Amino acid sequence: MSPAAPTSSHTTSDAQDVIIVGGGLAGLSLAVALGQNGLKTAVIDTEDPGTTTNQAFDGRSFAVAYGSAVMLQTLGVWERLEADVQPIEDILITDGSVRSRFREGGASPFFLHFDRRELEAEDAGAALGYTALGYMVEARHARAALYQVIDTLDAVELIAPAKTKDVIFHDNTVEVTLEDGRHLWAALCVAADGRASPLRQQVGIQTVGWGYDQHGIVTTVEHAIPHQGIAQEYFLPAGPFAILPLKGDRSSLVWTEGSSKVRALMNLDDPSFMDELTRRFGDYLGDLKIVSPRQAFPLSLQIAREFIAPRFALIGDAAHGIHPISGQGWNLGLKDVAVLSEVLVEAHRLGLDIGALHLLERYQQWRRFDTMALAVITDGMNKLFANDFPPLKLARDLGMQAVNYMGPLKRVFIRHAAGVMGDLPKLFRGETL
């Protein structure tokens, strides 16, 4: 049910069903899901869309789990993105240092290998029509595809660049004032404004978590030998070093390093940085060339104590931030979007108040366990593999090798990583809302 307008000079053009503060991947995805189902939605973002699709703005790449890919296909985003997507055919996880001509020894002889053929072609697989462990996509391409879909939706208004000046929560509406003086009102306000989330802080929702004293260095390299769709992750003492395949003979690197060393690494000139990079990357893909800016991000675990408040909901990084060790960051946000949009669309069709707290509680209950479980898993993995105590190292190596030979358990791991287990929302099942 759309809210009654507050007593002010608001025009009907400022009336929305939902206002989303934050136009990153989560916010844009929610706008698409809602707009396609008739909910009038405004997205407010501080950045110019022309800037956010440049590689220099955000050089990150994201793993898209199988279930997330099904959702993007259902929303019509995948067809605009597919040409820039790299399927992940195999995943190789190794404990130890990278085999390289620059190091003695090398990786542990124990490793964990996931093959795409081990994922049964059913459920989500049948919907997508192609069996893969997951996909890699650059942030700039994902944003561009979402913008293209939004351009086709009359129900969605993208207001960018723009800054939110004030948000006032009334009994039946939420009122948003922009710095340019424009006023908007809606039944519900959704914060998708990142880990720091000024809006979450304004509402008074606290977070729990801790820093890891680690940074993730992100860049893209071009290499002489094709990667064959293989994603590799080496667990080094300072943290995981991931080599993730991109379209063409390129790979995205997520290099986790102790925070005390990151500034020095980022200040190196290009040849010196390449030397350090090659020591970890190895030579199995031939000569390397850096083809994107280096960026470094502090790593932490952060979970909001509540995902909702009256006429308010959190999604994406505003709700949760986890260690990138499992590559599940955007997938968590997409599942937030899938669940929240399902709850809101169903309520809107029934003429219910979509900002009512008791209705939003369904979203929170659905997402809380999954989010906390993944946070605990990634936190535990980071602490386990960042420890070089010899007996512990031997135990985890033997554990990885044992999983390799336990087919049923291995398939559970594969399906969990693919995002096709548990109580799936409609979009993850390939069903329209």
Side-chain angles (χ1 to χ4, degrees):
M1 179 176 69
S2 296
T7 55
S8 68
S9 59
H10 296 253
T11 65
T12 55
S13 63
D14 293 321
Q16 310 288 331
D17 291 307
V18 179
I19 298 170
I20 302 170
V21 178
L25 296 180
L28 294 174
S29 300
L30 180 61
V32 168
L34 297 179
Q36 288 180 348
N37 288 278
L39 276 78
K40 193 173 181 184
T41 305
V43 183
I44 304 166
D45 193 45
T46 58
E47 300 292 341
D48 188 321
T51 300
T52 61
T53 52
N54 292 331
Q55 191 175 48
F57 174 80
D58 187 349
R60 293 177 299 170
S61 296
F62 292 97
V64 180
Y66 204 85
S68 299
V70 172
M71 170 181 169
L72 293 173
Q73 186 190 54
T74 306
L75 293 176
V77 177
W78 193 257
E79 62 193 56
R80 302 170 189 270
L81 187 60
E82 195 167 14
D84 297 307
V85 165
Q86 170 62 49
I88 298 174
E89 307 287 345
D90 296 85
I91 299 174
L92 183 64
I93 300 172
T94 311
D95 186 15
S97 56
V98 182
R99 293 185 182 91
S100 168
R101 60 179 177 268
F102 296 102
R103 300 180 75 97
E104 295 181 0
S108 164
F110 302 110
F111 60 89
L112 187 56
H113 176 226
F114 296 113
D115 189 307
R116 71 174 180 85
R117 289 173 289 274
E118 297 179 69
L119 179 62
E120 297 173 352
E122 61 179 356
D123 301 332
L128 195 63
Y130 181 73
T131 302
L133 293 172
Y135 304 85
M136 288 299 303
V137 61
E138 294 171 73
R140 57 188 175 124
H141 294 315
R143 282 194 175 92
L146 288 164
Y147 287 142
Q148 290 171 24
V149 177
I150 284 175
D151 283 344
T152 69
L153 300 175
D154 293 335
V156 178
E157 181 181 8
L158 177 60
I159 307 172
K163 291 186 178 180
T164 302
K165 180 180 180 180
D166 195 17
V167 180
I168 301 175
F169 293 90
H170 303 284
D171 288 341
N172 298 314
T173 68
V174 57
E175 186 175 359
V176 176
T177 303
L178 305 183
E179 286 193 349
D180 64 7
R182 181 175 174 182
H183 294 268
L184 301 94
W185 58 272
L188 177 68
C189 181
V190 177
D193 51 349
R195 286 201 182 198
S197 187
L199 194 49
R200 182 190 66 224
Q201 295 179 45
Q202 178 188 328
V203 172
I205 294 178
Q206 297 182 338
T207 63
V208 294
W210 45 82
Y212 286 115
D213 195 26
Q214 295 173 319
H215 275 63
I217 301 174
V218 177
T219 192
T220 301
V221 297
E222 191 175 79
H223 35 76
I225 300 172
H227 50 55
Q228 299 181 340
I230 300 173
Q232 302 209 41
E233 187 162 26
Y234 296 91
F235 288 108
L236 305 179
F241 184 90
I243 304 168
L244 308 170
L246 296 178
K247 198 74 172 180
D249 296 330
R250 298 178 306 132
S251 291
S252 173
L253 305 186
V254 183
W255 170 1
T256 304
E257 188 58 77
S259 297
S260 61
K261 296 182 180 179
V262 168
R263 178 172 294 184
L265 287 167
M266 295 297 288
N267 287 335
L268 291 175
D269 58 28
D270 287 345
S272 300
F273 183 81
M274 180 59 78
D275 286 344
E276 291 294 327
L277 177 63
T278 306
R279 288 174 63 85
R280 293 159 178 81
F281 194 110
D283 55 4
Y284 76 101
L285 290 179
D287 294 335
L288 306 176
K289 177 184 178 182
I290 296 177
V291 293
S292 78
R294 311 175 214 161
Q295 295 176 304
F297 303 90
L299 304 182
S300 65
L301 171 69
Q302 178 179 286
I303 307 291
R305 289 185 178 273
E306 303 288 341
F307 286 9
I308 60 170
R311 309 217 163 271
F312 182 70
L314 297 169
I315 62 169
D317 288 350
H320 43 66
I322 63 173
H323 198 285
I325 194 169
S326 64
Q328 292 296 315
W330 190 25
N331 297 300
L332 265 182
L334 283 174
K335 192 166 282 189
D336 293 344
V337 170
V339 171
L340 182 59
S341 60
E342 183 172 330
V343 169
L344 297 181
V345 169
E346 288 180 358
H348 184 260
R349 286 180 180 152
L350 294 172
L352 303 176
D353 180 358
I354 63 173
L357 188 62
H358 70 273
L359 187 143
L360 297 174
E361 186 64 37
R362 182 184 172 208
Y363 162 67
Q364 176 166 265
Q365 291 177 350
W366 199 341
R367 292 299 300 130
R368 178 174 291 183
F369 178 78
D370 183 43
T371 300
M372 291 301 298
L374 189 57
V376 169
I377 290 170
T378 55
D379 181 66
M381 287 176 61
N382 183 55
K383 291 176 178 176
L384 174 65
F385 283 95
N387 191 318
D388 250 6
F389 182 56
L392 181 60
K393 187 175 187 301
L394 177 60
R396 71 192 180 216
D397 287 349
L398 291 173
M400 286 197 300
Q401 193 70 353
V403 172
N404 254 343
Y405 291 101
M406 296 176 65
L409 179 59
K410 193 174 181 182
R411 282 192 291 274
V412 169
F413 276 107
I414 292 174
R415 293 182 64 79
H416 189 275
V420 294
M421 290 188 68
D423 184 11
L424 297 179
K426 288 182 178 179
L427 290 173
F428 269 57
R429 302 197 303 265
E431 301 174 13
T432 57
L433 298 178

